[in-house]
């Protein structure tokens, strides 16, 4: 944790090297996320990120993160962790996910992402950043596996796939169809979140108005996803 | 049409300069699409595209397209035109779109994209290329307006928004809700298409198997979109 950078001569009043290093890392991550989200992954170099984060050393980003992909993974991990905290708080009182209604299972998939955005405030950058990362060939698989397929999400998707009322008599579960349903839900959540974030960044509403817009999107997504799942199930049973 | 490049001395047997220029443009476009789709917008320079397209002149891409954004717009336009041809062929015999069922209206939105992919064959690159372009800040608005909101799509979306059976007594049409529905449909079509394209590029199935996979995706998208719209309408009326 924290690389010690020639910090032995620092005065006692200065932060220790490890704390300074952690602060620099955090600053680089927030700067990178903002630049990537607003200009696009293609338009931002590692060097520009270091400069915009006020790092005098031209290789500060490489020093802290090795390179672009590791920097991006660190940003993703931070948000995934925060989202999982919301999901855990939401799911803990509900008991076994298999016993929940489809709507409640869907809520547990969608709403922790929404609450994370409410917490981030406006403007935020994560939504647009993630939307770019999931279509970037070099990062796509990593983003999907590490952050859009966490153990808690896995349990929820599995519960949705195996709901007993879904299967007609003698009908086998079709894993390909399950994967497609999951992909549709993921695409809707990731890309609709990015769209609302862009809109709020343009319009800069007050915090309570923004929170309301996020929760309206959350409710619409839950409704849309439930409708989509029910229609695909009905189709499968005919 | 076609810039004449010092072609006055060309032998009669050689293609005229304008034809050679058009061929070079086409080659650059196909090369760019493939490189962007497989490596990502961030990882491909204009110069690499020129080299990979076998252009000896280092500024061939700039010469034909001014720059990256114009090159990307030209690629989008070509696919949009082909998709619109499929949509026109599908809609012409159906008459007034307002009189169609929701399922048929949805089919006219989704299936022309699918048929364009069947026609492109495997591997294709357009699906992944478009998915990256719609999340790129500099190109997003252009891509949405020029290619995902064509007059024929506009008519279909408007017909879906104004279906009479949608509105409870005295209920006004909510344009914000309409825009959200449209965005959800667009996200599903663009990003699910990119996912199937990536899968087919990896697995390289025979042409008939690939065509079947595309049409299965088309059917799933139509079902999912109809379910999503019905659920959002029901929600709106309560």
């Amino acid at each position: 944790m924290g690389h010690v950078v020639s910090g032995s001569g620092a005065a006692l009043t200065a932060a220790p090297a490890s704390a300074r290093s952690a602060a620099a890392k955090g600053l680089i991550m927030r700067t990178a996320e903002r630049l990537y989200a607003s200009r696009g992954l293609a338009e931002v170099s590692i060097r520009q990120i270091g400069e915009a984060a006020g790092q005098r050393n031209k290789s500060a980003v490489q020093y802290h993160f090795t390179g672009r992909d590791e920097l991006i993974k660190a940003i993703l991990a931070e948000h995934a962790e925060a989202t999982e905290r919301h999901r855990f708080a939401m799911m803990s009182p509900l008991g076994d996910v298999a016993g929940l209604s489809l709507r409640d299972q869907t809520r547990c998939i969608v709403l922790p992402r929404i609450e994370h955005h409410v917490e981030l405030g406006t403007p935020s950058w994560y939504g647009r950043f993630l939307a770019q990362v999931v279509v970037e060939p070099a990062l796509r698989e990593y983003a999907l596996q590490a952050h859009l397929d966490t153990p808690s999400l896995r349990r929820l998707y599995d519960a949705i796939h195996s709901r007993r009322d879904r299967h007609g008599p003698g009908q086998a579960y079709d894993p390909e169809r399950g994967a497609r349903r999951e992909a549709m839900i993921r695409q809707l959540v990731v890309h609709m979140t990015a769209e609302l974030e862009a809109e709020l960044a343009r319009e800069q509403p007050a915090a309570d108005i923004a929170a309301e817009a996020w929760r309206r999107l959350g409710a619409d997504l839950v409704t849309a996803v439930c409708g989509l799942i029910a229609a695909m199930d009905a189709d499968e049973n005919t």
Side-chain angles (χ1 to χ4, degrees), chain A residues 82-95 97 100 103-116 155-156 218 222:
Chain A
T83 306
E84 283 298 288
R85 274 199 301 276
H86 286 290
R87 189 167 285 120
F88 183 78
M90 185 171 208
M91 288 174 72
S92 299
L94 294 177
V97 292
L100 300 178
R103 188 164 279 264
D104 280 341
Q105 290 166 341
T106 305
R107 277 200 183 99
C108 292
I109 291 175
V110 171
L111 300 185
R113 277 292 304 278
I114 298 292
E115 290 308 312
H116 179 48
R155 278 208 308 283
L156 288 161
V222 168

Side-chain angles (χ1 to χ4, degrees), chain A residues 38-186:
Chain A
S38 55
R39 299 193 205 156
L41 294 180
E43 303 297 314
V44 180
S45 68
I46 283 294
R47 196 169 148 180
Q48 287 170 325
I49 292 168
E51 281 172 16
Q55 302 295 305
R56 286 194 203 149
N57 185 333
K58 281 195 199 316
S59 44
V61 177
Q62 285 89 335
Y63 172 75
H64 288 289
F65 295 98
T66 322
R68 185 197 75 150
D69 290 3
E70 294 308 314
L71 166 59
I72 289 178
K73 288 178 186 180
I75 299 170
L76 290 176
E78 212 175 60
H79 289 288
E81 212 182 292
T83 306
E84 283 298 288
R85 274 199 301 276
H86 286 290
R87 189 167 285 120
F88 183 78
M90 185 171 208
M91 288 174 72
S92 299
L94 294 177
D96 182 18
V97 292
L100 300 178
S101 67
L102 172 60
R103 188 164 279 264
D104 280 341
Q105 290 166 341
T106 305
R107 277 200 183 99
C108 292
I109 291 175
V110 171
L111 300 185
R113 277 292 304 278
I114 298 292
E115 290 308 312
H116 179 48
H117 269 284
V118 170
E119 200 172 66
L120 288 173
T122 298
S124 64
W125 314 96
Y126 171 54
R128 288 165 285 172
F129 170 76
L130 182 63
Q132 290 180 46
V133 170
V134 295
V135 299
E136 168 82 4
L139 294 162
R140 206 181 155 275
E141 282 305 313
Y142 172 82
L144 294 188
Q145 285 171 17
H147 300 297
L148 298 164
D149 196 15
T150 61
S152 62
L153 276 175
R154 188 73 268 137
R155 278 208 308 283
L156 288 161
Y157 282 125
D158 287 345
I160 286 178
H161 298 326
S162 64
R163 276 174 313 120
R164 246 169 295 153
D165 56 333
R166 252 194 57 233
H167 306 298
Q171 193 178 15
Y173 167 61
D174 178 349
E176 203 181 293
R177 212 81 197 294
R180 176 152 290 164
R181 232 187 332 247
E182 252 179 76
M184 287 185 176
I185 299 169
R186 174 167 37 77

